[in-house]
């Protein structure tokens, strides 16, 4: 029986998008303290793909001469060409409802409810019958406050709490195609999930020259319902199937805790020489799940970064701005992505940028 040692696939194609929408939004001020906002949108989307796949499979009978001589070349044993034109149509009515309350000039409380929508589309890499997916919807609820203060310190403090409820969520479903022998991914509408969390941000003017900025995000995500399709073994190798998440697990590539802090110093120089400042930025990103625990045991570890910058605007009163920067100053080695290909025999990933430093110059006309 024939043994194949490899294949070559050529798949030229493309996607056309047609998106149409009509919307309106307005704000009504009931009085100086209360205002109401409402918005309505209708969206109609059409996505049409076109692809011509040609797969050449090469035999494994590597003993003896070939028809072309003893150069070790073998012509493909089989060549199969298929043409597909997947089409996806979707439409939705979405809206926004919000209310703002300002008890004073320096404080605003707000609440809003938003219905969101992500269009359905096509995926040319997937086989026929699994190359389209439907839209997903989300209901988003948010309450928060925005404040300013000028006491022993001057600054701002903002807080928001939110809850997002997703339905018919689009997730990645990976497997090896039987017809081509190549790994691929379908986008499937697989269930429901929730995202809830808190965001904090503040700016503190410590002195006339020193300013501190801080932002923190906490995210709690959970897949509440996940129904995966049954792709027949004639289409997908069942031993290679991988899913980016699973019921009861968190969403992929979502860090539970994120922090960004910045300390900037305005160097006191004569204004005729320009504006000179220096800054230090700290970034923390919590560990992230890249795929379901059954698909791959690999997690993306937490990492910390430090960035340094010096900016000189209007250098010596000229039209030039100069910026000296060092990103990832400690040369931290970290990953930003993992493929989830453990079950397919090859787990790949992407590393973060190493220490980088440079100088930027800009001329203002």
């Amino acid at each position: 029986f024939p043994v194949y040692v490899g294949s070559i696939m050529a798949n030229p194609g493309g996607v056309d998008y047609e998106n149409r929408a009509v919307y309106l939004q307005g704000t009504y001020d009931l009085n100086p303290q209360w205002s109401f906002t409402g918005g309505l949108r209708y969206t109609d989307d059409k996505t049409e793909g076109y692809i011509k796949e040609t797969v050449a499979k090469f035999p494994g009978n590597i003993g003896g001469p070939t028809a072309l001589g003893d150069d070790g070349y073998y012509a493909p044993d089989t060549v199969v060409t298929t043409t597909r034109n997947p089409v996806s149509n979707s439409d939705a009515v979405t809206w926004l409802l919000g209310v703002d309350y300002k008890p004073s000039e320096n404080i605003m409380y707000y609440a809003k409810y938003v219905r969101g929508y992500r269009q359905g589309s096509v995926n040319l890499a997937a086989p026929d019958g699994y190359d389209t997916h439907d839209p997903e919807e989300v209901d988003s609820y948010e309450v928060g406050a925005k404040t300013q203060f000028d006491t022993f310190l001057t600054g701002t403090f903002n807080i928001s709490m939110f809850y997002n409820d997703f339905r018919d969520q689009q997730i990645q479903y990976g497997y090896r195609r039987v017809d081509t022998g190549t790994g691929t991914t379908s986008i499937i509408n697989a269930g429901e999930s929730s995202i809830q969390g808190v965001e904090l941000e503040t700016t503190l003017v410590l002195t006339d020259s020193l300013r501190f900025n801080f932002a923190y995000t906490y995210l709690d995500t959970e897949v509440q319902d996940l129904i995966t399709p049954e792709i027949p073994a004639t289409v997908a190798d069942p031993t290679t199937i991988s899913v980016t998440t699973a019921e009861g697990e968190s969403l992929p590539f979502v860090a539970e805790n994120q922090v960004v802090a910045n300390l900037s110093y305005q160097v006191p120089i004569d204004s005729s020489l320009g504006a000179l400042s220096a800054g230090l930025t700290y970034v923390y990103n919590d560990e992230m799940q890249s795929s379901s625990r059954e698909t791959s045991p690999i997690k993306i570890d937490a990492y910390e970064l430090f960035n340094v910058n010096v900016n000189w605007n209007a250098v010596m009163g000229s039209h030039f701005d100069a910026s000296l920067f060092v990103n990832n100053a400690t040369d931290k080695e970290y990953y930003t992505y993992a493929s989830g290909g453990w079950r397919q025999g090859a787990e790949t990933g992407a590393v973060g940028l190493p220490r980088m430093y440079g100088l930027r110059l800009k001329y203002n006309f």
Side-chain angles (χ1 to χ4, degrees):
F1 60 91
V3 177
Y4 296 101
V5 296
S7 63
I8 294 177
M9 182 170 66
N11 51 0
V15 179
D16 292 328
Y17 297 93
E18 183 178 307
N19 309 98
R20 296 175 294 180
V22 57
Y23 68 93
L24 58 90
Q25 181 171 315
T27 298
Y28 175 71
D29 294 326
L30 182 64
N31 55 46
Q33 286 77 41
W34 290 92
S35 63
F36 300 89
T37 299
L40 192 66
R41 177 187 179 103
Y42 172 74
T43 306
D44 181 79
D45 301 298
K46 180 179 180 180
T47 310
E48 183 173 2
Y50 49 94
I51 185 170
K52 182 179 181 180
E53 287 184 339
T54 301
V55 181
K57 294 184 177 181
F58 292 85
N61 54 326
I62 57 177
T66 71
L68 299 179
D70 296 311
D71 56 2
Y73 172 78
Y74 288 86
D77 187 83
T78 59
V79 178
V80 179
T81 299
T82 58
T83 301
R84 292 183 287 115
N85 294 94
V87 177
S88 173
N89 293 283
S90 59
D91 65 289
V93 176
T94 55
W95 57 80
L96 177 149
L97 297 172
V99 57
D100 296 340
Y101 172 59
K102 300 176 182 178
S104 68
E105 290 184 356
N106 297 327
I107 300 176
M108 183 188 77
Y109 301 107
Y110 69 91
K112 63 180 178 179
Y113 162 49
V114 179
R115 163 66 60 85
Y117 150 86
R118 177 185 289 176
Q119 72 176 83
S121 191
V122 304
N123 179 16
L124 298 182
D128 188 31
Y130 303 92
D131 50 3
T132 63
H133 53 276
D134 293 330
E136 72 175 24
E137 290 185 341
V138 60
D139 284 325
S140 177
Y141 309 89
E142 182 178 344
V143 295
K146 299 179 182 294
T147 69
Q148 295 179 337
F149 53 87
D150 187 5
T151 54
F152 62 96
L153 283 179
T154 299
T156 64
F157 177 78
N158 302 328
I159 182 172
S160 65
M161 295 173 286
F162 52 87
Y163 178 83
N164 297 332
D165 180 20
F166 287 87
R167 293 177 302 282
D168 297 323
Q169 190 165 21
Q170 300 167 2
I171 67 169
Q172 292 185 348
Y173 190 76
Y175 51 90
R176 180 174 289 118
R177 289 177 54 173
V178 173
D179 57 348
T180 64
T182 58
T184 190
T185 298
S186 285
I187 306 298
I188 62 174
N189 297 89
E192 301 176 358
S193 67
S194 64
I195 300 176
Q196 57 187 343
V198 178
E199 290 184 341
L200 305 173
E201 59 179 18
T202 186
T203 297
L204 300 177
V205 181
L206 303 178
T207 68
D208 290 341
S209 301
L210 193 61
R211 180 180 296 242
F212 176 69
N213 296 283
F214 177 85
Y216 169 72
T217 301
Y218 169 77
L219 292 175
D220 175 26
T221 68
E222 182 182 3
V223 177
Q224 298 164 330
D225 183 33
L226 187 64
I227 304 173
T228 55
E230 295 184 3
I231 302 181
T234 55
V235 176
D237 181 351
T239 65
T240 64
I241 292 176
S242 60
V243 188
T244 54
T245 188
E247 192 170 313
E249 296 185 9
S250 62
L251 291 171
F253 303 106
V254 176
E256 187 174 64
N257 297 283
Q258 293 176 297
V259 175
V260 178
N262 173 263
L263 189 66
S264 60
Y265 178 68
Q266 191 74 32
V267 181
I269 62 174
D270 192 282
S271 60
S272 63
L273 302 178
L276 181 62
S277 65
L280 172 66
T281 301
Y282 167 78
V283 177
Y284 172 80
N285 210 70
D286 219 346
E287 69 175 9
M288 297 183 293
Q289 183 174 314
S290 63
S291 56
S292 68
R293 289 189 284 267
E294 182 181 357
T295 294
S296 173
I298 301 298
K299 275 191 173 185
I300 300 173
D301 292 333
Y303 60 86
E304 297 174 297
L305 301 177
F306 292 91
N307 304 323
V308 181
N309 66 278
V310 177
N311 300 309
W312 193 356
N313 295 333
V315 178
M316 301 298 293
S318 69
H319 292 280
F320 284 97
D321 295 340
S323 176
L324 177 66
F325 65 91
V326 183
N327 293 336
N328 190 5
T330 60
D331 204 19
K332 173 72 175 180
E333 295 180 357
Y334 64 102
Y335 289 91
T336 60
Y337 171 79
S339 66
W342 187 272
R343 298 185 65 183
Q344 299 180 24
E347 184 71 72
T348 60
V351 296
L353 294 174
R355 180 193 294 124
M356 295 179 61
Y357 53 87
L359 176 67
R360 297 188 182 98
L361 289 175
K362 182 173 71 173
Y363 182 82
N364 301 295
F365 292 95

